[in-house]
Amino acid sequence: MNINNSNNNFGEPPPPYSFNNSPLSSSPLGPPTLNNSNGINNNNTNANNNNNNNNKQFESMMNLKSQNSFQNIKEVKLFNNNIEREMYENLAELYSIIKVTEHLEKAYIRDDVSPKDYTTACSKLIAQFKSSQTLLKDQVANVGQFMKDYDLNCKAAFDRLVIKGFPSTLEHNTNESSTDSAMAKNVAEAVQLFITTMDSIRLKLVSVDGIYPLLSDLMESLNRNQWLGPTFEGKEKIKNWISILNQMKATDELDDDQSRQLLFDLDNSYNIFYKAIKS
């Protein structure tokens, strides 16, 4: 037995040895830090990079799918030629006239527009409506059905454009001027319109688009004569004829019986008006 190795007689482990005479490095206790994480942070970084890559791949797939979907959408044309295009434009104009008239009627009821501006705008819309009907006589035979098909809930516009055909100010006197000069002017204007309208009928100028404006102007002029009162017989007859003409097309003409009856009603109304002036 070697005496120099007496330290191992009792089976104890040999003392630790190190290479190059340098002590063994030890890891500090406690949670891992940036310097002693032993690869934990590197694993987290790799996981985040993988998630980012997956997100980018998913976005690329969705973009590609979206592009393919847009490529599969086919263009739908409303018209195939200029004739169909003009028809749809005319339908759009008729739709807009009805909507604008509905808003105008409600604005007048709320007193958001003056009677003068209302009368001018409404008369213009009624004339445009008649012209639109002429252009769409083959496509729109019934305005009420047209409004139903396109979900137009415009009762006030239908009453004004289709049933009555004249502004609300012609039904109710809204002129507040009562001076002698204004009264004389209104009387002279009414007399002139009576004569002009009757002369047009005598000359056989009895198309709807020719007679209708004259009767509307005459009705408006009579309405400015407040002294006549609301029960003046001539107003009711003229309003009735305006409503009749409004149901007809702009290119239609009054037949001989209608022309004769209209001339008779106008002549009778003029005589009543003239007698009222003298009294």
Side-chain angles (χ1 to χ4, degrees):
M1 177 178 296
N2 191 355
I3 299 174
N4 292 331
N5 294 333
S6 60
N7 292 332
N8 293 329
N9 292 335
F10 300 99
E12 295 180 357
Y17 294 93
S18 62
F19 297 95
N20 298 327
N21 297 325
S22 61
L24 293 175
S25 61
S26 60
S27 298
L29 298 177
T33 61
L34 292 176
N35 296 327
N36 60 358
S37 58
N38 296 327
I40 295 177
N41 287 333
N42 292 332
N43 292 334
N44 291 336
T45 301
N46 293 332
N48 291 333
N49 291 334
N50 291 333
N51 291 333
N52 292 333
N53 292 332
N54 291 335
N55 291 334
K56 291 180 179 180
Q57 292 178 358
F58 178 76
E59 292 177 357
S60 300
M61 292 176 60
M62 293 301 296
N63 291 333
L64 181 61
K65 184 177 180 181
S66 177
Q67 292 176 1
N68 293 333
S69 299
F70 281 115
Q71 292 176 356
N72 293 330
I73 295 177
K74 295 182 180 180
E75 182 182 1
V76 178
K77 294 184 178 180
L78 292 177
F79 50 85
N80 297 318
N81 50 55
N82 292 333
I83 296 177
E84 292 183 358
R85 177 179 181 178
E86 183 179 1
M87 179 192 70
Y88 282 111
E89 288 179 350
N90 292 335
L91 289 173
E93 290 173 359
L94 177 60
Y95 184 97
S96 64
I97 290 172
I98 296 173
K99 291 290 290 185
V100 171
T101 304
E102 180 74 12
H103 289 296
L104 179 63
E105 290 294 313
K106 292 182 178 180
Y108 179 66
I109 293 173
R110 293 193 302 265
D111 200 23
D112 291 337
V113 59
S114 66
K116 181 179 179 181
D117 292 339
Y118 164 79
T119 302
T120 302
C122 189
S123 299
K124 183 179 179 180
L125 286 169
I126 291 172
Q128 292 174 337
F129 175 74
K130 299 298 294 184
S131 299
S132 181
Q133 277 189 307
T134 302
L135 294 175
L136 293 170
K137 59 182 179 180
D138 296 331
Q139 290 79 24
V140 182
N142 189 313
V143 177
Q145 186 62 41
F146 170 81
M147 295 175 66
K148 183 178 180 181
D149 293 340
Y150 289 92
D151 196 22
L152 275 171
N153 186 18
C154 302
K155 296 180 180 179
F158 182 81
D159 180 71
R160 186 62 53 204
L161 295 172
V162 179
I163 298 178
K164 292 182 178 178
F166 51 85
S168 178
T169 48
L170 299 187
E171 295 182 86
H172 312 287
N173 198 338
T174 58
N175 194 295
E176 298 178 356
S177 177
S178 59
T179 62
D180 293 339
S181 59
M183 183 180 298
K185 179 183 177 181
N186 293 333
V187 169
E189 184 183 57
V191 170
Q192 180 182 0
L193 288 171
F194 262 119
I195 294 173
T196 301
T197 306
M198 288 189 292
D199 287 345
S200 296
I201 298 173
R202 292 190 180 99
L203 293 173
K204 304 297 183 181
L205 303 176
V206 291
S207 62
V208 172
D209 57 354
I211 294 295
Y212 183 89
L214 293 175
L215 290 177
S216 297
D217 292 342
L218 177 57
M219 185 65 193
E220 186 176 356
S221 178
L222 291 175
N223 205 45
R224 286 196 288 267
N225 288 272
Q226 294 183 355
W227 53 273
L228 286 174
T231 59
F232 178 63
E233 183 180 357
K235 287 184 179 181
E236 295 300 323
K237 290 183 178 181
I238 294 173
K239 283 195 296 184
N240 182 51
W241 274 105
I242 291 176
S243 297
I244 292 175
L245 294 176
N246 192 56
Q247 305 296 326
M248 302 171 64
K249 298 178 181 178
T251 55
D252 292 342
E253 293 186 354
L254 300 178
D255 57 29
D256 292 338
D257 292 339
Q258 290 175 322
S259 299
R260 187 170 181 176
Q261 184 64 44
L262 175 57
L263 183 60
F264 175 80
D265 290 339
L266 288 174
D267 186 62
N268 186 37
S269 299
Y270 175 71
N271 291 331
I272 297 174
F273 178 77
Y274 188 74
K275 291 178 181 178
I277 295 174
K278 288 186 175 182
S279 61

